Amino acid sequence: WFLHLWYGYLLVQLRGFSPERFLNLCSSNRIEIWDLEYRDGGYQFYITVKGYRAVKPLVKKSKVRLRIVEKFGLPFFLYRN
């Protein structure tokens, strides 16, 4: 939990053709995702900044779209202030 705040994490909304495939690819590539919920016809979950950067090829492969809803953690706090 402390490391998530230190390095930053994102609340992301997932929509698209095959969200299940995307989640399976993230699991097999050991990309950390937590608090996954189905909301408004798509999924919302938290992901680390490092994981978000590593997920670009998986997004193309599974034909989904990611949208950042909120940003949390020290890097974003320092940037704002």
Side-chain angles (χ1 to χ4, degrees), residues 55-66:
V55 87
K56 187 176 180 182
L58 306 180
V59 168
K60 285 187 174 188
K61 187 179 276 190
S62 57
K63 298 176 185 170
V64 295
R65 297 223 177 223
L66 295 181

Side-chain angles (χ1 to χ4, degrees), residues 13-67:
Q13 185 175 24
L14 169 71
R15 292 181 186 258
F17 180 69
S18 182
E20 295 84 9
R21 182 169 187 208
F22 172 78
L23 295 171
N24 287 334
L25 287 170
C26 286
S27 176
S28 67
N29 287 319
R30 298 178 192 255
I31 296 173
E32 186 178 6
I33 290 177
W34 68 96
D35 288 346
L36 179 69
E37 295 182 340
Y38 185 79
R39 245 188 215 186
D40 302 327
Y43 290 94
Q44 278 191 350
F45 57 87
Y46 293 96
I47 188 170
T48 62
V49 174
K50 184 179 175 184
Y52 185 77
R53 290 182 183 141
V55 87
K56 187 176 180 182
L58 306 180
V59 168
K60 285 187 174 188
K61 187 179 276 190
S62 57
K63 298 176 185 170
V64 295
R65 297 223 177 223
L66 295 181
R67 187 174 71 89

Side-chain angles (χ1 to χ4, degrees), residues 5-9 71-81:
L5 284 176
W6 186 260
Y7 293 113
Y9 63 98
K71 300 174 183 179
F72 304 96
L74 185 64
F76 305 114
F77 176 77
L78 292 176
Y79 181 76
R80 280 191 304 260
N81 297 311

